Amino acid sequence: MSVVDRISAGAARDPAREWPLELYDLLKRAGIRQVSYVPDAGHSALIRLFGDDADMTTNMLTTEEEGIAIATGAWLGGQRSVVLMQSSGVGNCINMLSLPVQTRTPLLMLVTMRGEWAEFNPWQVPMGQATEAALTAIGVTVLRAETPEDLIEIAEQAAGMAFDADQQIAVLIGQRLLGKKKW
C-alpha cells in the first residue's frame, strides 16, 4: 500500500493536504533516491516523508547551490535525485546551474514560490518575480503548478523530461497552492 493510501485510508479526499504524499509516491516511482534541501515550510511535509524513508538519502544543505552539485554527483554515481528549494534560493544557484546545463546532466528541482499571492515579507518579492526568468536565462526548463492536481501531473512529466531526456527542469510550486504563510 502506498504512503498516500496508508495515510488517507478512511478519510475524505483533500487534494490540498494530500499533494505532498502523492508527490512523494511519484518521486519514489520515478527512481529518486537522494533528496537535497534547505529547510523550507513549503516542503516540510515532503522533507519529513523522505527523512523517514530508510531507502532515501537526504542531504540538508547550508545553501541551495550545494544541492546542484550533489544532484550532479548522484547522477554520475548512478542515482536519481531531486533538489527542493524556495524561490529565494534560486538566486543562490545561478552560477552553479551552469554545471548541469553545460554537461547535460539531468536535474530535477522543485521550487516553492514566495513573493506572490498573500506574501507578507517584502524581501521575498524581487526574487519571487525573477525566479522564472532567471532559470530560463541560464537554460533550465521551467514548468509551473498552481493546483495540487497540476503539481502531480507536471512533476511526473518533469521527472521524465529530466531523467529520460537529460534535461534540467524546475517545477515552480505557486504560493497560492502552498497557502498563506502564518507567523
Side-chain angles (χ1 to χ4, degrees):
M1 183 182 284
S2 74
V3 172
V4 173
D5 293 336
R6 286 192 312 265
I7 293 176
S8 299
R13 191 170 184 313
D14 179 4
R17 202 175 124 250
E18 292 175 3
W19 71 261
L21 301 169
E22 292 182 36
L23 190 53
Y24 166 82
D25 271 353
L26 169 91
L27 294 170
K28 290 274 294 191
R29 286 192 314 273
I32 301 293
R33 294 295 169 260
Q34 291 199 34
V35 179
S36 298
Y37 64 93
V38 171
D40 168 41
H43 284 303
S44 61
L46 196 55
I47 290 167
R48 277 193 304 278
L49 288 165
F50 282 119
D52 290 343
D53 187 331
D55 294 329
M56 289 295 194
T57 299
T58 57
N59 306 294
M60 185 169 24
L61 311 171
T62 57
T63 183
E64 292 82 1
E65 65 264 32
E66 294 170 347
I68 307 307
I70 289 171
T72 302
W75 180 254
L76 292 173
Q79 290 192 345
R80 293 178 175 191
S81 68
V82 64
V83 181
L84 310 178
M85 71 178 77
Q86 194 177 86
S87 55
S88 56
V90 170
N92 296 334
C93 293
I94 294 302
N95 193 44
M96 184 58 80
L97 284 168
S98 63
L99 174 65
V101 168
Q102 292 302 310
T103 60
R104 295 197 40 82
T105 304
L107 177 65
L108 178 60
M109 297 180 291
L110 300 179
V111 181
T112 56
M113 294 301 294
R114 292 288 307 267
E116 299 180 334
W117 182 79
E119 181 61 64
F120 68 91
N121 183 347
W123 293 100
Q124 293 287 349
V125 174
M127 193 61 221
Q129 292 176 343
T131 297
E132 185 169 354
L135 288 166
T136 301
I138 198 71
V140 173
T141 299
V142 176
L143 306 173
R144 187 175 177 95
E146 297 293 341
T147 67
E149 297 82 9
D150 284 348
L151 175 58
I152 302 309
E153 182 180 1
I154 288 167
E156 183 175 26
Q157 294 307 309
M161 292 168 71
F163 301 116
D164 297 336
D166 299 334
Q167 294 186 49
Q168 303 74 47
I169 311 291
V171 176
L172 306 185
I173 303 171
Q175 192 167 356
R176 191 166 188 174
L177 186 153
L178 299 170
K180 184 176 181 178
K181 299 272 189 234
K182 296 177 182 122
W183 298 97

